Amino acid sequence: MTKEEAKKRIEKLTRELNEHNYKYYVLSAPKISDYEYDMMLEELVRLEKQYPEYADSTSPARRIGGEVTKEFRQIRHDYQMLSLSNSYSEEDVIDFDRRVKKTLETEVEYVCELKYDGVAIGLRYNNGLLTLAVTRGDGDMGDDVTANARTIRAIPLKLKGDYPASFEIRGEIFMNHEGFETLNAEREEIGEQLFANPRNAAAGSLKIQDSSIVAKRPLDCFLYQVVADNAGFQYHYDTLKKAKDWGFKISPYMAKCNTIDEIFDFISFWNKERYALPFDIDGVVIKVNAFSQQEILGSTAKSPRWAIAYKFKAVRVATTLLSIDFQVGRTGAITPVANLQPVLLAGTIVKRASLHNADIIEKLDVRIGDTVYVEKGGEIIPKITGVDLENRESNAMPVEFISTCPECGTSLFRKEGEAHHYCPNEDNCPPQIKGKLEHFISRRAMNIDSLGEGKIEMLYDKRLVRDVSDLYNLTYDKLYGLGKIFEATEDKKEKKLSFREKTVNNILKGIEASKEVPFARVLYALGIRYVGETVAKKLVNHYKTIDDLMKADFYELILVDEIGDKIAESLISFFSQEKNRNLIEKLRERGLRLKAGKEEISLKSTRLGNKTIVISGVFNRFSREEAKRLIEEHGGKNAGTVSSRTDFILGGADMGPKKLEKAREMGIKIIAEEDFLKMIEEPSP
């Protein structure tokens, strides 16, 4: 074969394989057998290896994988990847419809879609080529899994037709039942741990470092949202139909609905028919169809106001309660866990289930030996929801909640108004200390991925770490030779226990790299109660340094956007303790970032002069989230409640009546959106 013949053959195979792929995954109308497809692909791979100069970046041969990703880099989403608000009742859906129509003051057309039980993904295309695939992550940033996404045949590498020059499309990567069962059967044969369910299998597969292994996993993908500026579309439904022409796999299971009855008909149908599908769903998603109306409705910090997810009620099974264990969390909270006679529930063998707290045990009146009903809360976490009292043994005794910590023996306490019992011995109770260490090194906190639960336990047991600052005192000499990791000697017969040199170096590199983690993640890593990732970001945006945050009083804290009484009290309690202030100083000495960097502040101007601003109502020129961002970018502070410290209210249509009344009582100025835009657009004096 000449070079010219090879080039033509490669082009022909590429064109035909891409077309067969489109017909199989998008049109569900395959024209050739799997064997014929594989033979064509094998020939293409062979030719591209022989003539690499003719290999194309969008070649179907790239689906075989081979690229190894040592670590998944974090990518910031161009458009925030929000999660949907969940509902579990028809009343919630009716309330959603009422709120939407009240805001828009018109009738609304909705699109109903299935809610797939998989892993959310965002795909970016430039000039028709797949350039990036990013997981949801925390909504602001996700993992770059492009190499792995390229191996999924349902994701086109090159588009067809009149697609926009640049856009993002979002969807769900999942594994169907047949593929999941085949994968688990293969793993069982070679003695590997089985996946619990298709969702876990899909999530685990997507994060494998070797894309050639991912290529062998039966992953699939439905796309359900096009995100682009000025793409020329008016309606969500029409956009998805058009996206199918571009080569995307769009679900056929969706419908336009004009009334609440039509929505409930769709929900009712799929609640019954979901078990006939070849993949898992856990509900129905309801979206406002018109993009102009979506823009008016806007979003909260976590969820769009123009969509809601209706979750199907969980499947319930009966089994026997064998015993109850009591676990200690990193905050000292005691959680009772039921040990059950193993039972199949929604595709998973369940052996344990949470009983949550003493109140739940008392409310259920659950007893050892009872036949109990188990379901999956939100289709994920098994929980006991009831007891078959007719089958109860006559000598069954009520469960007594423990009074002392099962780990350290300290007497438990329970705060008024709280459901959990707590162990107060946070400085000496092993699970609490280990839990704080594990939280600190976790991926969304300090991201010291060379450490893990097993290594933390080892370091704690060897008395090398007692608090998180001790991690920064670890040295090569302290770590080398430590451990429970088997390392084979040259004759492969003897084994010795040790931390290998590479392991030690990776740990030390990971610890050193964590000193560059942004302040918001350091604050989250401290494990202050109620201070999650979102709250930590809000606090950093407002206070900028740990010192300013530590000095803030209760009334200052509750003025910060989305900071309530509980969070404020928790922060004051944490920073009032000498041991925590000492810990902050140790971390400062070790070089951790305790003030906001440029990437966290991102000020465009100081035109708002550190003014405290409350947002209320609906706007035409921007969403509420965009308004909050603009306030921060121009030096202002967002506040959630009106007080004497409020400088003005940014008011839109349908302002909250309580905020409006309070503003009038206190003489606080209300600024319209046009005047607000003039404030931030005018040059500083």
Side-chain angles (χ1 to χ4, degrees):
M1 180 180 289
T2 66
K3 279 194 169 188
E4 187 59 31
E5 288 172 336
K7 181 182 178 183
K8 288 181 179 179
R9 181 60 179 164
I10 287 172
E11 289 172 349
K12 186 174 189 293
L13 286 169
T14 298
R15 187 171 58 253
E16 290 181 355
L17 284 167
N18 280 332
E19 187 62 27
H20 287 307
N21 214 51
Y22 174 72
K23 288 175 180 176
Y24 184 92
Y25 285 98
V26 179
L27 303 182
S28 298
K31 295 297 182 184
I32 60 173
S33 68
D34 288 348
Y35 175 78
E36 290 173 297
Y37 183 96
D38 290 342
M39 290 299 100
M40 290 172 67
L41 183 60
E42 195 174 294
E43 182 186 356
L44 178 62
V45 171
R46 188 173 64 251
L47 285 172
E48 287 191 355
K49 282 183 178 178
Q50 191 174 350
Y51 303 96
E53 63 270 30
Y54 302 133
D56 189 88
S57 62
T58 62
S59 166
R62 296 298 174 97
R63 302 215 185 260
I64 294 173
E67 186 175 334
V68 175
T69 306
K70 292 186 178 179
E71 61 179 65
F72 296 96
R73 66 189 178 115
Q74 290 266 291
I75 299 291
R76 185 171 296 280
H77 294 292
D78 285 344
Y79 307 87
Q80 196 175 18
M81 206 166 182
L82 301 173
S83 56
L84 296 175
S85 296
N86 290 329
S87 71
Y88 296 90
S89 68
E90 291 189 355
E91 289 75 17
D92 289 341
V93 177
I94 292 169
D95 285 344
F96 166 74
D97 176 56
R98 188 182 296 121
R99 288 194 304 273
V100 166
K101 288 177 178 175
K102 181 181 178 183
T103 300
L104 298 174
E105 297 181 344
T106 184
E107 291 302 308
V108 181
E109 183 177 63
Y110 297 102
V111 178
C112 288
E113 305 167 13
L114 303 185
K115 186 175 183 299
Y116 308 102
D117 199 12
V119 183
I121 194 74
L123 306 172
R124 296 186 199 172
Y125 285 82
N126 289 305
N127 299 318
L129 303 180
L130 174 64
T131 56
L132 193 64
V134 185
T135 62
R136 172 181 281 131
D138 64 2
D140 291 320
M141 299 186 75
D143 290 332
D144 178 356
V145 292
T146 310
N148 289 345
R150 287 182 183 278
T151 69
I152 301 172
R153 291 187 180 181
I155 295 176
L157 304 179
K158 187 175 183 179
L159 302 182
K160 306 155 62 77
D162 55 342
Y163 44 79
S166 179
F167 70 98
E168 180 177 339
I169 189 166
R170 292 172 176 174
E172 201 89 359
I173 291 174
F174 63 93
M175 193 175 289
N176 64 32
H177 298 154
E178 183 182 356
F180 171 71
E181 289 166 7
T182 301
L183 175 62
N184 260 354
E186 291 170 352
R187 292 173 71 84
E188 189 171 25
E189 281 183 13
I190 59 177
E192 290 190 4
Q193 185 175 351
L194 305 186
F195 286 111
N197 51 53
R199 182 184 185 183
N200 286 3
S205 298
L206 197 60
K207 295 305 295 291
I208 292 173
Q209 293 180 320
D210 186 343
S211 62
S212 65
I213 298 175
V214 183
K216 297 173 184 175
R217 296 287 173 88
L219 295 174
D220 207 336
C221 183
F222 276 131
L223 285 308
Y224 50 62
Q225 182 188 6
V226 175
V227 185
D229 289 326
N230 304 317
F233 300 105
Q234 292 181 293
Y235 300 100
H236 169 71
Y237 186 89
D238 295 343
T239 307
L240 290 184
K241 290 292 185 185
K242 191 65 179 175
K244 184 176 180 180
D245 296 338
W246 303 335
F248 292 110
K249 183 173 182 178
I250 306 298
S251 170
Y253 313 111
M254 60 179 185
K256 289 190 282 189
C257 298
N258 291 297
T259 67
I260 199 74
D261 289 337
E262 290 177 358
I263 291 173
F264 287 139
D265 286 345
F266 187 92
I267 289 172
S268 177
F269 177 84
W270 285 110
N271 192 23
K272 295 174 185 175
E273 294 298 318
R274 57 178 161 148
Y275 302 108
L277 290 168
F279 48 81
D280 287 340
I281 63 171
D282 57 2
V284 165
V285 176
I286 304 147
K287 301 176 182 176
V288 172
N289 191 20
F291 290 136
S292 60
Q293 293 178 337
Q294 289 184 11
E295 178 64 24
I296 293 169
L297 291 164
S299 304
T300 67
K302 295 182 179 179
S303 308
R305 289 195 178 92
W306 45 265
I308 193 171
Y310 177 88
K311 301 291 286 288
F312 293 137
K313 286 184 172 61
V315 182
R316 188 173 79 161
V317 295
T319 188
T320 304
L321 173 61
L322 303 177
S323 62
I324 296 175
D325 293 334
F326 292 89
Q327 296 181 344
V328 186
R330 69 177 172 88
T331 64
I334 308 297
T335 302
V337 179
N339 296 305
L340 307 168
Q341 185 70 39
V343 63
L344 182 65
L345 172 62
T348 305
I349 299 295
V350 173
K351 300 177 182 178
R352 290 161 68 81
S354 175
L355 280 164
H356 300 292
N357 53 59
D359 290 345
I360 297 296
I361 291 176
E362 184 178 352
K363 181 180 177 181
L364 293 170
D365 186 26
V366 65
R367 306 183 185 188
I368 306 302
D370 276 348
T371 297
V372 295
Y373 299 112
V374 184
E375 61 182 52
K376 286 190 176 181
E379 300 285 343
I380 299 172
I381 304 169
K383 62 180 181 180
I384 292 176
T385 57
V387 178
D388 183 355
L389 296 175
E390 292 184 4
N391 285 329
R392 171 172 286 169
E393 298 289 338
S394 58
N395 60 348
M397 298 296 292
V399 173
E400 287 190 24
F401 204 89
I402 57 175
S403 59
T404 59
C405 176
E407 297 288 340
C408 69
T410 304
S411 294
L412 304 179
F413 77 97
R414 186 177 184 181
K415 289 182 181 177
E416 186 177 347
E418 293 212 7
H420 280 99
H421 287 74
Y422 288 89
C423 169
N425 187 21
E426 59 179 313
D427 296 328
N428 297 293
C429 184
Q432 293 189 61
I433 298 170
K434 293 174 190 176
K436 288 171 185 173
L437 290 163
E438 288 159 10
H439 172 75
F440 186 82
I441 68 166
S442 65
R443 198 155 167 273
R444 291 183 174 179
M446 303 306 290
N447 192 27
I448 309 176
D449 58 3
S450 48
L451 283 171
E453 186 177 329
K455 294 189 182 79
I456 285 293
E457 185 170 357
M458 199 184 311
L459 294 171
Y460 175 84
D461 291 344
K462 297 292 184 181
R463 305 190 66 82
L464 288 173
V465 293
R466 275 296 180 270
D467 67 41
V468 297
S469 68
D470 291 334
L471 293 170
Y472 297 91
N473 294 331
L474 294 174
T475 63
Y476 184 91
D477 290 338
K478 288 180 180 178
L479 292 173
Y480 188 74
L482 184 75
K484 297 177 181 177
I485 297 177
F486 281 102
E487 179 181 25
T489 56
E490 288 183 6
D491 62 8
K492 297 183 181 180
K493 292 180 180 179
E494 294 182 22
K495 288 184 177 179
K496 60 183 179 180
L497 286 167
S498 71
F499 261 5
R500 293 169 293 181
E501 182 178 358
K502 185 178 179 181
T503 304
V504 172
N505 287 331
N506 285 341
I507 290 172
L508 294 175
K509 283 180 184 176
I511 291 170
E512 187 63 27
S514 73
K515 294 177 182 179
E516 298 303 315
V517 165
F519 176 30
R521 281 171 53 194
V522 177
L523 183 59
Y524 167 65
L526 291 175
I528 303 170
R529 199 169 181 204
Y530 306 127
V531 178
E533 292 174 85
T534 301
V535 169
K537 289 176 184 176
K538 295 282 184 184
L539 291 167
V540 168
N541 281 335
H542 193 89
Y543 286 104
K544 309 299 189 272
T545 73
I546 193 77
D547 298 304
D548 287 342
L549 177 58
M550 290 169 71
K551 287 185 286 188
D553 63 26
F554 175 82
Y555 296 103
E556 289 172 333
L557 286 166
I558 61 173
L559 288 178
V560 179
D561 186 35
E562 296 187 23
I563 304 301
D565 293 4
K566 278 189 175 181
I567 299 172
E569 288 169 357
S570 177
L571 285 161
I572 289 169
S573 173
F574 182 87
F575 290 123
S576 68
Q577 297 177 54
E578 186 178 357
K579 63 178 182 179
N580 292 330
R581 294 197 301 273
N582 290 339
L583 176 63
I584 298 296
E585 290 310 309
K586 288 179 186 176
L587 295 178
R588 195 195 305 273
E589 290 168 7
R590 270 56 165 187
L592 274 68
R593 295 174 64 176
L594 298 175
K595 62 180 181 180
K598 290 180 181 178
E599 76 281 4
E600 293 175 289
I601 298 174
S602 63
L603 276 179
K604 291 185 177 177
S605 80
T606 57
R607 289 168 196 152
L608 295 179
N610 213 30
K611 286 182 169 60
T612 298
I613 302 163
V614 173
I615 298 172
S616 183
V618 179
F619 306 95
N620 295 320
R621 299 278 297 277
F622 43 69
S623 67
R624 287 170 65 93
E625 272 308 298
E626 287 171 326
K628 290 178 182 180
R629 177 177 54 78
L630 288 169
I631 288 169
E632 290 171 359
E633 285 178 349
H634 293 281
K637 295 180 180 180
N638 284 294
T641 56
V642 180
S643 75
S644 60
R645 304 188 188 196
T646 303
D647 288 290
F648 66 81
I649 295 175
L650 173 56
D654 296 325
M655 269 188 68
K658 289 184 179 179
K659 286 181 179 175
L660 184 58
E661 183 182 349
K662 198 167 184 181
R664 286 170 177 165
E665 285 176 3
M666 303 179 72
I668 296 171
K669 192 175 181 180
I670 299 173
I671 303 291
E673 61 180 303
E674 294 299 329
D675 293 327
F676 171 75
L677 288 172
K678 288 178 184 177
M679 289 174 68
I680 61 176
E681 288 167 1
E682 288 174 0
S684 299

